[in-house]
Each structure stands twice: as structure tokens, then as C-alpha cells.
Amino acid sequence: MSGPRIGVLALQGDVREHARALAAAGARPVEVRRVAELDEVDGLVLPGGESTTIGRLLRVFALLEPLRERVLAGLPVFGSCAGMILLARDVVDGRPDQPLVGGLDMVVRRNAFGRQVDSFEADLDVVGVPGPPVHAVFIRAPWVEKAGDTVEVLARVAEAPVAVRQGSLLATAFHPELTGDFRVHRLFVDIVRSSGSGR
């Protein structure tokens, strides 16, 4: 089977859905729970879930520091919802002890659109995703409160950035794995390939 080997952090969240979307986008998905598995991937997806819990589990599984090191070394990473929060350099309304992977020069606000009952769907034009608008599912979603100069905003809801890219790091406040539209995952697979990480 050809295509880049892309891991899905399998500690919590939509692991199967991301794996299915990655396979449809031309990648070889693998679940990542250990450092040895992290060492074998060309790219990584940080799925939705609860960002504080995922951060704690990264510590429990001794993955936090190795993941930070791989991100600094240029590992392509795609974070959706909680994954977006984990990739931020800082979080508004987060817990002070919340572990972050970092890498994206942005500050995000947790649950920016409200609680679970305030979840919603919207059709978005996403830079780098050809074709019709992307149907986006937002569940207790963050938004980007502040982005650095090298962060490219790919999509907005009203004025709030909800999809961003900085180099080989991609993040969405929404859940593209839940809709059956694999174009955002295809964009990430292309990022992995163009980074030189894809085999």
C-alpha cells in the first residue's frame, strides 16, 4: 500500500473516523499510543475530544515531550477541535495546568461558540480545498483569538478564524472527519507529501 504513513493519536476522540478519512485521502493510517509508534509516522492527526484530558493522557503515556520535539523538527500535524487547542501556543479560558503541544503561533479560545447545546453546522470556503464549500460540524468548538504573522487563516465563521495553517501544521475548529467529505484530510495528506515526510 503506497501513500504516507499518518498516525492518529489514539488516546481519546474520533480515531476511527479520522483513520477512515485518511485512508480515503490516500494515506496509510495507523493508531499512535506509544513513542515507538510516533517515531514511525510521516504525519500525525490530533483528533477532537477533550483537550485537557488528551493533554493529561499525553503525559501519562510519556508522549508529550517526544511529540513536542517532533513538531519542532517539522513533523506535519493536523489538529481538529481539541487538536487545534493542543497545537496552540496559549489558550484563553483554559486550565492553567493544561498541557499543550504547541507549534502554531496562535492563541485559541476554548468553547468559543458555547456549550454542547450550542453546537452547529456551517458551509465554509476553505483556502486550499477546491470545489464547493466544506460542510463543517462544530461541537463545543474553539476559535483563534489571535494569530501570528506566519499563520495563514484558511476559513472563518463571521470574523473568527476556524481553520489555519502554519508551514506543515494544519488546524480546524470543526470536525471534517464526521461528514464523509475527505477534502480537508486530502489537503493534509498533500502537506505531508510536500514536506518530504511522505514515503
Side-chain angles (χ1 to χ4, degrees):
M1 189 179 188
S2 62
R5 187 176 168 88
I6 298 181
V8 181
L9 185 69
L11 304 180
Q12 188 199 45
D14 299 332
V15 177
R16 274 184 302 236
E17 292 85 351
H18 275 292
R20 187 166 41 247
L22 286 166
R28 293 176 292 150
V30 294
E31 293 185 4
V32 171
R33 292 185 188 86
R34 297 178 181 82
V35 174
E37 294 162 341
L38 177 63
D39 290 342
E40 294 297 313
V41 299
D42 303 313
L44 183 70
V45 172
L46 301 178
E50 208 291 309
S51 59
T52 308
T53 301
I54 295 172
R56 280 201 304 263
L57 289 170
L58 282 168
R59 279 204 173 121
V60 168
F61 283 80
L63 278 166
L64 185 60
E65 288 309 320
L67 180 52
R68 284 175 174 162
E69 289 169 14
R70 291 272 335 251
V71 168
L72 278 173
L75 177 72
V77 181
F78 167 36
S80 68
C81 198
M84 173 184 253
I85 294 168
L86 289 166
L87 286 174
R89 72 172 154 78
D90 201 6
V91 181
V92 177
D93 291 344
R95 292 174 50 132
D97 61 342
Q98 174 161 3
L100 298 174
V101 174
L104 271 168
D105 183 17
M106 65 180 182
V107 177
V108 298
R109 180 177 293 277
R110 291 178 79 227
N111 302 333
F113 295 100
R115 301 180 319 265
Q116 190 97 17
V117 293
D118 301 312
S119 298
F120 66 98
E121 300 180 19
D123 291 326
L124 303 177
D125 291 318
V126 180
V127 174
V129 176
V134 171
H135 189 71
V137 176
F138 293 85
I139 304 170
R140 292 176 56 211
W143 69 39
V144 177
E145 193 98 341
K146 190 172 9 175
D149 293 341
T150 59
V151 176
E152 180 186 9
V153 175
L154 306 181
R156 297 176 187 270
V157 168
E159 291 303 308
V162 293
V164 295
R165 177 179 177 184
Q166 183 179 9
S168 60
L169 301 177
L170 176 69
T172 62
F174 53 91
H175 291 266
E177 74 281 5
L178 297 180
T179 63
D181 180 346
F182 307 125
R183 289 176 295 158
V184 173
H185 288 82
R186 200 165 295 126
L187 171 63
F188 181 59
V189 171
D190 289 343
I191 289 169
V192 173
R193 284 192 172 115
S194 65
S195 75
S197 296
R199 299 169 211 271

PDB file of all heavy atoms in Angstrom, residues 85-110:
ATOM      1  N   ILE A  85      -6.638  23.134  19.785  1.00  0.00           N
ATOM      2  CA  ILE A  85      -6.259  23.707  21.078  1.00  0.00           C
ATOM      3  C   ILE A  85      -4.867  23.222  21.478  1.00  0.00           C
ATOM      4  O   ILE A  85      -4.021  24.004  21.909  1.00  0.00           O
ATOM      5  CB  ILE A  85      -7.302  23.344  22.154  1.00  0.00           C
ATOM      6  CG1 ILE A  85      -8.647  24.021  21.838  1.00  0.00           C
ATOM      7  CG2 ILE A  85      -6.821  23.739  23.549  1.00  0.00           C
ATOM      8  CD1 ILE A  85      -9.817  23.528  22.651  1.00  0.00           C
ATOM      9  N   LEU A  86      -4.610  21.924  21.313  1.00  0.00           N
ATOM     10  CA  LEU A  86      -3.316  21.355  21.695  1.00  0.00           C
ATOM     11  C   LEU A  86      -2.151  21.953  20.905  1.00  0.00           C
ATOM     12  O   LEU A  86      -1.041  22.055  21.417  1.00  0.00           O
ATOM     13  CB  LEU A  86      -3.343  19.837  21.530  1.00  0.00           C
ATOM     14  CG  LEU A  86      -4.199  19.088  22.551  1.00  0.00           C
ATOM     15  CD1 LEU A  86      -4.434  17.658  22.103  1.00  0.00           C
ATOM     16  CD2 LEU A  86      -3.547  19.125  23.929  1.00  0.00           C
ATOM     17  N   LEU A  87      -2.408  22.356  19.658  1.00  0.00           N
ATOM     18  CA  LEU A  87      -1.342  22.924  18.822  1.00  0.00           C
ATOM     19  C   LEU A  87      -1.089  24.410  19.098  1.00  0.00           C
ATOM     20  O   LEU A  87      -0.106  24.966  18.612  1.00  0.00           O
ATOM     21  CB  LEU A  87      -1.681  22.737  17.335  1.00  0.00           C
ATOM     22  CG  LEU A  87      -1.517  21.319  16.791  1.00  0.00           C
ATOM     23  CD1 LEU A  87      -2.037  21.247  15.356  1.00  0.00           C
ATOM     24  CD2 LEU A  87      -0.071  20.863  16.873  1.00  0.00           C
ATOM     25  N   ALA A  88      -1.961  25.053  19.875  1.00  0.00           N
ATOM     26  CA  ALA A  88      -1.820  26.487  20.146  1.00  0.00           C
ATOM     27  C   ALA A  88      -0.652  26.756  21.095  1.00  0.00           C
ATOM     28  O   ALA A  88      -0.247  25.896  21.871  1.00  0.00           O
ATOM     29  CB  ALA A  88      -3.114  27.030  20.746  1.00  0.00           C
ATOM     30  N   ARG A  89      -0.149  27.994  21.038  1.00  0.00           N
ATOM     31  CA  ARG A  89       0.891  28.374  21.999  1.00  0.00           C
ATOM     32  C   ARG A  89       0.277  28.813  23.321  1.00  0.00           C
ATOM     33  O   ARG A  89       0.935  28.796  24.365  1.00  0.00           O
ATOM     34  CB  ARG A  89       1.814  29.449  21.427  1.00  0.00           C
ATOM     35  CG  ARG A  89       1.231  30.809  21.290  1.00  0.00           C
ATOM     36  CD  ARG A  89       2.309  31.828  20.893  1.00  0.00           C
ATOM     37  NE  ARG A  89       1.780  32.949  20.188  1.00  0.00           N
ATOM     38  CZ  ARG A  89       1.150  33.971  20.757  1.00  0.00           C
ATOM     39  NH1 ARG A  89       0.969  33.998  22.055  1.00  0.00           N
ATOM     40  NH2 ARG A  89       0.704  34.971  20.020  1.00  0.00           N
ATOM     41  N   ASP A  90      -1.021  29.212  23.279  1.00  0.00           N
ATOM     42  CA  ASP A  90      -1.703  29.623  24.511  1.00  0.00           C
ATOM     43  C   ASP A  90      -3.208  29.462  24.326  1.00  0.00           C
ATOM     44  O   ASP A  90      -3.702  29.452  23.190  1.00  0.00           O
ATOM     45  CB  ASP A  90      -1.368  31.078  24.850  1.00  0.00           C
ATOM     46  CG  ASP A  90      -1.597  31.404  26.318  1.00  0.00           C
ATOM     47  OD1 ASP A  90      -1.914  30.489  27.103  1.00  0.00           O
ATOM     48  OD2 ASP A  90      -1.468  32.586  26.692  1.00  0.00           O
ATOM     49  N   VAL A  91      -3.921  29.356  25.466  1.00  0.00           N
ATOM     50  CA  VAL A  91      -5.370  29.131  25.452  1.00  0.00           C
ATOM     51  C   VAL A  91      -6.053  30.109  26.387  1.00  0.00           C
ATOM     52  O   VAL A  91      -5.633  30.271  27.541  1.00  0.00           O
ATOM     53  CB  VAL A  91      -5.712  27.680  25.891  1.00  0.00           C
ATOM     54  CG1 VAL A  91      -7.207  27.435  25.849  1.00  0.00           C
ATOM     55  CG2 VAL A  91      -4.992  26.659  25.025  1.00  0.00           C
ATOM     56  N   VAL A  92      -7.099  30.777  25.869  1.00  0.00           N
ATOM     57  CA  VAL A  92      -7.941  31.634  26.699  1.00  0.00           C
ATOM     58  C   VAL A  92      -9.053  30.746  27.265  1.00  0.00           C
ATOM     59  O   VAL A  92      -9.613  29.916  26.562  1.00  0.00           O
ATOM     60  CB  VAL A  92      -8.560  32.775  25.859  1.00  0.00           C
ATOM     61  CG1 VAL A  92      -9.495  33.625  26.710  1.00  0.00           C
ATOM     62  CG2 VAL A  92      -7.465  33.618  25.237  1.00  0.00           C
ATOM     63  N   ASP A  93      -9.351  30.897  28.535  1.00  0.00           N
ATOM     64  CA  ASP A  93     -10.370  30.090  29.218  1.00  0.00           C
ATOM     65  C   ASP A  93      -9.945  28.634  29.388  1.00  0.00           C
ATOM     66  O   ASP A  93     -10.774  27.760  29.584  1.00  0.00           O
ATOM     67  CB  ASP A  93     -11.725  30.131  28.481  1.00  0.00           C
ATOM     68  CG  ASP A  93     -12.380  31.496  28.569  1.00  0.00           C
ATOM     69  OD1 ASP A  93     -11.966  32.287  29.428  1.00  0.00           O
ATOM     70  OD2 ASP A  93     -13.284  31.769  27.770  1.00  0.00           O
ATOM     71  N   GLY A  94      -8.663  28.375  29.277  1.00  0.00           N
ATOM     72  CA  GLY A  94      -8.164  27.025  29.531  1.00  0.00           C
ATOM     73  C   GLY A  94      -7.728  26.901  30.980  1.00  0.00           C
ATOM     74  O   GLY A  94      -7.645  27.881  31.710  1.00  0.00           O
ATOM     75  N   ARG A  95      -7.444  25.685  31.394  1.00  0.00           N
ATOM     76  CA  ARG A  95      -6.921  25.477  32.737  1.00  0.00           C
ATOM     77  C   ARG A  95      -5.454  25.898  32.753  1.00  0.00           C
ATOM     78  O   ARG A  95      -4.725  25.677  31.789  1.00  0.00           O
ATOM     79  CB  ARG A  95      -7.044  24.003  33.118  1.00  0.00           C
ATOM     80  CG  ARG A  95      -8.471  23.553  33.296  1.00  0.00           C
ATOM     81  CD  ARG A  95      -8.530  22.064  33.536  1.00  0.00           C
ATOM     82  NE  ARG A  95      -7.597  21.672  34.582  1.00  0.00           N
ATOM     83  CZ  ARG A  95      -7.905  20.900  35.600  1.00  0.00           C
ATOM     84  NH1 ARG A  95      -9.116  20.419  35.723  1.00  0.00           N
ATOM     85  NH2 ARG A  95      -7.001  20.575  36.499  1.00  0.00           N
ATOM     86  N   PRO A  96      -5.000  26.479  33.850  1.00  0.00           N
ATOM     87  CA  PRO A  96      -3.602  26.937  33.893  1.00  0.00           C
ATOM     88  C   PRO A  96      -2.601  25.788  33.759  1.00  0.00           C
ATOM     89  O   PRO A  96      -1.477  25.993  33.302  1.00  0.00           O
ATOM     90  CB  PRO A  96      -3.482  27.620  35.261  1.00  0.00           C
ATOM     91  CG  PRO A  96      -4.683  27.212  36.037  1.00  0.00           C
ATOM     92  CD  PRO A  96      -5.744  26.833  35.053  1.00  0.00           C
ATOM     93  N   ASP A  97      -3.010  24.572  34.142  1.00  0.00           N
ATOM     94  CA  ASP A  97      -2.094  23.430  34.068  1.00  0.00           C
ATOM     95  C   ASP A  97      -2.311  22.591  32.810  1.00  0.00           C
ATOM     96  O   ASP A  97      -1.819  21.477  32.711  1.00  0.00           O
ATOM     97  CB  ASP A  97      -2.267  22.540  35.304  1.00  0.00           C
ATOM     98  CG  ASP A  97      -3.684  21.967  35.426  1.00  0.00           C
ATOM     99  OD1 ASP A  97      -4.615  22.503  34.775  1.00  0.00           O
ATOM    100  OD2 ASP A  97      -3.855  20.986  36.162  1.00  0.00           O
ATOM    101  N   GLN A  98      -3.056  23.139  31.838  1.00  0.00           N
ATOM    102  CA  GLN A  98      -3.345  22.373  30.630  1.00  0.00           C
ATOM    103  C   GLN A  98      -2.088  22.157  29.801  1.00  0.00           C
ATOM    104  O   GLN A  98      -1.461  23.109  29.347  1.00  0.00           O
ATOM    105  CB  GLN A  98      -4.398  23.080  29.782  1.00  0.00           C
ATOM    106  CG  GLN A  98      -4.623  22.380  28.453  1.00  0.00           C
ATOM    107  CD  GLN A  98      -5.934  22.757  27.810  1.00  0.00           C
ATOM    108  OE1 GLN A  98      -6.676  23.575  28.312  1.00  0.00           O
ATOM    109  NE2 GLN A  98      -6.215  22.144  26.688  1.00  0.00           N
ATOM    110  N   PRO A  99      -1.699  20.894  29.551  1.00  0.00           N
ATOM    111  CA  PRO A  99      -0.526  20.642  28.712  1.00  0.00           C
ATOM    112  C   PRO A  99      -0.847  20.933  27.246  1.00  0.00           C
ATOM    113  O   PRO A  99      -1.892  20.527  26.742  1.00  0.00           O
ATOM    114  CB  PRO A  99      -0.256  19.142  28.908  1.00  0.00           C
ATOM    115  CG  PRO A  99      -1.118  18.702  30.035  1.00  0.00           C
ATOM    116  CD  PRO A  99      -2.263  19.664  30.098  1.00  0.00           C
ATOM    117  N   LEU A 100       0.052  21.650  26.589  1.00  0.00           N
ATOM    118  CA  LEU A 100      -0.101  21.953  25.169  1.00  0.00           C
ATOM    119  C   LEU A 100       1.104  21.408  24.410  1.00  0.00           C
ATOM    120  O   LEU A 100       2.219  21.402  24.922  1.00  0.00           O
ATOM    121  CB  LEU A 100      -0.198  23.462  24.940  1.00  0.00           C
ATOM    122  CG  LEU A 100      -1.389  24.177  25.579  1.00  0.00           C
ATOM    123  CD1 LEU A 100      -1.256  25.679  25.396  1.00  0.00           C
ATOM    124  CD2 LEU A 100      -2.693  23.675  24.993  1.00  0.00           C
ATOM    125  N   VAL A 101       0.872  20.969  23.187  1.00  0.00           N
ATOM    126  CA  VAL A 101       1.964  20.543  22.314  1.00  0.00           C
ATOM    127  C   VAL A 101       2.639  21.775  21.731  1.00  0.00           C
ATOM    128  O   VAL A 101       3.851  21.869  21.629  1.00  0.00           O
ATOM    129  CB  VAL A 101       1.437  19.618  21.190  1.00  0.00           C
ATOM    130  CG1 VAL A 101       2.534  19.284  20.192  1.00  0.00           C
ATOM    131  CG2 VAL A 101       0.823  18.351  21.786  1.00  0.00           C
ATOM    132  N   GLY A 102       1.823  22.769  21.341  1.00  0.00           N
ATOM    133  CA  GLY A 102       2.352  23.983  20.745  1.00  0.00           C
ATOM    134  C   GLY A 102       2.756  23.765  19.290  1.00  0.00           C
ATOM    135  O   GLY A 102       2.475  22.729  18.701  1.00  0.00           O
ATOM    136  N   GLY A 103       3.394  24.763  18.722  1.00  0.00           N
ATOM    137  CA  GLY A 103       3.842  24.693  17.335  1.00  0.00           C
ATOM    138  C   GLY A 103       3.201  25.755  16.465  1.00  0.00           C
ATOM    139  O   GLY A 103       3.858  26.345  15.615  1.00  0.00           O
ATOM    140  N   LEU A 104       1.893  25.987  16.666  1.00  0.00           N
ATOM    141  CA  LEU A 104       1.188  27.017  15.910  1.00  0.00           C
ATOM    142  C   LEU A 104       1.226  28.323  16.695  1.00  0.00           C
ATOM    143  O   LEU A 104       0.849  28.350  17.877  1.00  0.00           O
ATOM    144  CB  LEU A 104      -0.266  26.603  15.666  1.00  0.00           C
ATOM    145  CG  LEU A 104      -0.539  25.787  14.410  1.00  0.00           C
ATOM    146  CD1 LEU A 104      -1.948  25.205  14.444  1.00  0.00           C
ATOM    147  CD2 LEU A 104      -0.357  26.621  13.159  1.00  0.00           C
ATOM    148  N   ASP A 105       1.634  29.393  16.044  1.00  0.00           N
ATOM    149  CA  ASP A 105       1.743  30.701  16.690  1.00  0.00           C
ATOM    150  C   ASP A 105       0.357  31.335  16.769  1.00  0.00           C
ATOM    151  O   ASP A 105       0.018  32.225  15.991  1.00  0.00           O
ATOM    152  CB  ASP A 105       2.714  31.584  15.903  1.00  0.00           C
ATOM    153  CG  ASP A 105       2.925  32.934  16.571  1.00  0.00           C
ATOM    154  OD1 ASP A 105       2.593  33.064  17.769  1.00  0.00           O
ATOM    155  OD2 ASP A 105       3.412  33.849  15.892  1.00  0.00           O
ATOM    156  N   MET A 106      -0.442  30.819  17.698  1.00  0.00           N
ATOM    157  CA  MET A 106      -1.806  31.332  17.836  1.00  0.00           C
ATOM    158  C   MET A 106      -2.285  31.154  19.270  1.00  0.00           C
ATOM    159  O   MET A 106      -1.779  30.318  20.022  1.00  0.00           O
ATOM    160  CB  MET A 106      -2.770  30.610  16.882  1.00  0.00           C
ATOM    161  CG  MET A 106      -2.952  29.149  17.193  1.00  0.00           C
ATOM    162  SD  MET A 106      -4.099  28.333  16.049  1.00  0.00           S
ATOM    163  CE  MET A 106      -4.105  26.669  16.735  1.00  0.00           C
ATOM    164  N   VAL A 107      -3.249  31.981  19.629  1.00  0.00           N
ATOM    165  CA  VAL A 107      -3.959  31.864  20.896  1.00  0.00           C
ATOM    166  C   VAL A 107      -5.391  31.471  20.553  1.00  0.00           C
ATOM    167  O   VAL A 107      -6.013  32.094  19.678  1.00  0.00           O
ATOM    168  CB  VAL A 107      -3.947  33.208  21.663  1.00  0.00           C
ATOM    169  CG1 VAL A 107      -4.755  33.098  22.946  1.00  0.00           C
ATOM    170  CG2 VAL A 107      -2.514  33.647  21.950  1.00  0.00           C
ATOM    171  N   VAL A 108      -5.905  30.424  21.188  1.00  0.00           N
ATOM    172  CA  VAL A 108      -7.269  29.977  20.915  1.00  0.00           C
ATOM    173  C   VAL A 108      -8.149  30.154  22.146  1.00  0.00           C
ATOM    174  O   VAL A 108      -7.646  30.209  23.266  1.00  0.00           O
ATOM    175  CB  VAL A 108      -7.318  28.496  20.450  1.00  0.00           C
ATOM    176  CG1 VAL A 108      -6.560  28.306  19.159  1.00  0.00           C
ATOM    177  CG2 VAL A 108      -6.801  27.558  21.521  1.00  0.00           C
ATOM    178  N   ARG A 109      -9.435  30.248  21.908  1.00  0.00           N
ATOM    179  CA  ARG A 109     -10.417  30.301  22.995  1.00  0.00           C
ATOM    180  C   ARG A 109     -11.195  28.997  22.997  1.00  0.00           C
ATOM    181  O   ARG A 109     -11.794  28.632  21.984  1.00  0.00           O
ATOM    182  CB  ARG A 109     -11.365  31.496  22.821  1.00  0.00           C
ATOM    183  CG  ARG A 109     -12.409  31.603  23.935  1.00  0.00           C
ATOM    184  CD  ARG A 109     -13.284  32.831  23.777  1.00  0.00           C
ATOM    185  NE  ARG A 109     -12.538  34.060  23.979  1.00  0.00           N
ATOM    186  CZ  ARG A 109     -12.278  34.607  25.166  1.00  0.00           C
ATOM    187  NH1 ARG A 109     -12.695  34.022  26.268  1.00  0.00           N
ATOM    188  NH2 ARG A 109     -11.595  35.735  25.239  1.00  0.00           N
ATOM    189  N   ARG A 110     -11.192  28.303  24.122  1.00  0.00           N
ATOM    190  CA  ARG A 110     -11.944  27.056  24.252  1.00  0.00           C
ATOM    191  C   ARG A 110     -13.446  27.353  24.260  1.00  0.00           C
ATOM    192  O   ARG A 110     -13.881  28.380  24.760  1.00  0.00           O
ATOM    193  CB  ARG A 110     -11.596  26.335  25.571  1.00  0.00           C
ATOM    194  CG  ARG A 110     -10.207  25.786  25.632  1.00  0.00           C
ATOM    195  CD  ARG A 110      -9.936  25.132  26.972  1.00  0.00           C
ATOM    196  NE  ARG A 110     -10.524  23.817  27.025  1.00  0.00           N
ATOM    197  CZ  ARG A 110     -11.242  23.340  28.030  1.00  0.00           C
ATOM    198  NH1 ARG A 110     -11.497  24.084  29.082  1.00  0.00           N
ATOM    199  NH2 ARG A 110     -11.726  22.126  27.990  1.00  0.00           N
TER     200      ARG A 110
END
